[in-house]
Amino acid sequence: MNIGDKIKEQRLKKELTQEQLSDLLNVSRSTVSSWEVGRNYPDLETIVAISDLFGISLDNLLREDTEMTKDLSKKMRWNKYYKRILLVIGVLTLIYVGFNTKLRMDEKHYLKNLAVHSWEQDDYRYSGSYALEEDGVLYTTYIIETGFNPIPLKEHNPWVIARKDKLVVEVKENNKRYVVISKANDPKVKYDATVEVAETGNLIKSDPSWSDEKEQSLKVYLKKYQKEYVELLKETVNKRKEIVD
């Protein structure tokens, strides 16, 4: 006997109409009818309610109805997967919200520091650009507007670029120092390159694609202006600290 037949049998024993049973279970009369003819099955919560109402065990109610048991097992498995999916979505949502909140706080912090140290917005270059001219040096930086970020990105740490006459340097995340050697800045330059240097102004590592001649030329150029680069980089590091600290 399937569960639909058992529900009907117990309903008739209790002398209940389909309408009366539906009221007791908070479902529609057509739902009770669909159970009894085997068109649909009640869900797990309703099965428990039926068991309590008629005073029969779940084992007796479900015994012999293999299709119902399979359907119920399937629903329970999907319910477990559904809960796991919701949990993952919830965790990812919290991470996303927290990430964007951190970005907005950082943006406000950077902008506040820029204002305190007299940096001026420089939108004629590009939106979000700020500039400061001091002691013959032009410092520039860029603050990413947080806005809406559909894809989480790495936390933004502003770079600072400094230009003094033909010398150009960059200070990036973790205060990594770079020297920009370019023909556009100094027509006497033979090779263009952006190289990472130590605090002493010396080249940290060469690029495998460089020829021996290019590497030697870059080292000679760095050596020629080593004192100026060291001083310019030192000041640029300080300017970056004023923004991010």
Side-chain angles (χ1 to χ4, degrees), residues 19-82:
E19 187 75 33
Q20 290 171 327
L21 180 59
S22 67
D23 289 340
L24 292 171
L25 297 174
N26 294 314
V27 297
S28 66
R29 188 205 61 79
S30 60
T31 298
V32 173
S33 176
S34 69
W35 295 341
E36 293 186 355
V37 297
R39 190 164 53 247
N40 288 312
Y41 297 115
D43 58 29
L44 180 58
E45 186 178 349
T46 305
I47 291 173
V48 173
I50 292 170
S51 172
D52 293 339
L53 177 65
F54 293 142
I56 58 176
S57 68
L58 288 173
D59 179 63
N60 288 332
L61 194 60
L62 298 175
R63 187 180 297 169
E64 298 177 8
D65 196 333
T66 56
E67 288 301 316
M68 172 62 193
T69 303
K70 289 179 182 178
D71 183 71
L72 186 59
S73 298
K74 183 179 179 181
K75 286 181 178 178
M76 290 177 69
R77 285 196 302 273
W78 275 107
N79 186 51
K80 180 173 65 176
Y81 297 147
Y82 181 67

Side-chain angles (χ1 to χ4, degrees), residues 56 61 175 178 181:
I56 58 176
L61 194 60
N175 289 326
Y178 296 85
I181 302 174

Side-chain angles (χ1 to χ4, degrees), residues 120-234:
E120 295 183 355
Q121 199 159 358
D122 191 25
D123 285 343
Y124 78 90
R125 293 176 183 270
Y126 42 82
S127 179
S129 175
Y130 291 81
L132 173 68
E133 194 162 359
E134 188 175 277
D135 298 328
V137 181
L138 177 63
Y139 301 95
T140 58
T141 189
Y142 176 68
I143 305 299
I144 294 178
E145 184 178 352
T146 301
F148 174 72
N149 292 309
I151 302 176
L153 303 171
K154 185 178 180 182
E155 180 185 344
H156 173 61
N157 288 282
W159 297 1
V160 175
I161 301 172
R163 178 185 296 272
K164 184 174 184 180
D165 299 325
K166 58 188 176 183
L167 306 183
V168 179
V169 300
E170 299 175 348
V171 175
K172 301 182 181 181
E173 186 177 356
N174 298 322
N175 289 326
K176 289 187 176 181
R177 297 161 172 82
Y178 296 85
V179 168
V180 180
I181 302 174
S182 170
K183 297 174 187 176
N185 300 326
D186 183 355
K188 294 181 180 180
V189 168
K190 189 173 182 179
Y191 298 100
D192 291 345
T194 298
V195 297
E196 185 178 356
V197 298
E199 290 185 38
T200 58
N202 295 316
L203 182 69
I204 289 181
K205 62 180 179 180
S206 59
D207 191 309
S209 66
W210 294 347
S211 65
D212 292 340
E213 182 183 356
K214 179 174 181 177
E215 182 174 348
Q216 186 60 31
S217 176
L218 294 173
K219 286 181 178 180
V220 168
Y221 194 86
L222 288 172
K223 188 68 176 178
K224 182 178 180 180
Y225 297 102
Q226 186 172 11
K227 182 178 178 180
E228 291 88 342
Y229 276 132
V230 169
E231 184 61 29
L232 185 56
L233 283 164
K234 180 180 177 182

